[in-house]
Amino acid sequence: MADWHALYQALWKGRTFTDIEEAIQNELEDKLNHPRLRKKPEQKLVEAVRRVCASSLTDTEKVTLISVYLDHFEEIKQKH
């Protein structure tokens, strides 16, 4: 199975990450937007899955990356 860190970076070309795990958490929790403009994690998950599906990754790589997003989404839901 492909290294999901490399897959995530392939989606975000040109960006550098110090902690990819934290980047996914921030993305799903929409932490980079103002609190009044933030979307729910469910909405952000749908957007992420759409972006992954529209990418040029192979089907296996897409499934791998989507499963990572789902794992992080579950962690967020358990916290709240």
Side-chain angles (χ1 to χ4, degrees):
M1 198 163 285
D3 175 28
W4 72 265
H5 291 90
L7 299 175
Y8 187 79
Q9 289 179 319
L11 282 182
W12 294 106
K13 293 177 183 163
R15 289 191 183 179
T16 57
F17 303 99
T18 54
D19 184 357
I20 293 180
E21 301 271 346
E22 184 179 346
I24 291 178
Q25 291 288 119
N26 289 342
E27 180 182 354
L28 290 175
E29 292 180 17
D30 206 14
K31 287 187 175 181
L32 300 179
N33 279 326
H34 188 279
R36 287 183 282 158
L37 300 175
R38 288 184 183 154
K39 296 178 183 178
K40 294 182 179 183
E42 292 85 356
Q43 292 172 296
K44 295 302 287 187
L45 177 64
V46 169
E47 290 174 6
V49 169
R50 284 185 178 150
R51 185 176 54 254
V52 170
C53 289
S55 73
S56 61
L57 299 173
T58 67
D59 288 344
T60 303
E61 292 171 332
K62 289 177 183 180
V63 169
T64 299
L65 199 50
I66 289 171
S67 68
V68 171
Y69 271 105
L70 288 172
D71 290 343
H72 282 82
F73 176 75
E74 289 299 322
E75 288 177 20
I76 290 168
K77 294 312 278 181
Q78 287 177 1
K79 284 194 298 189
H80 299 287

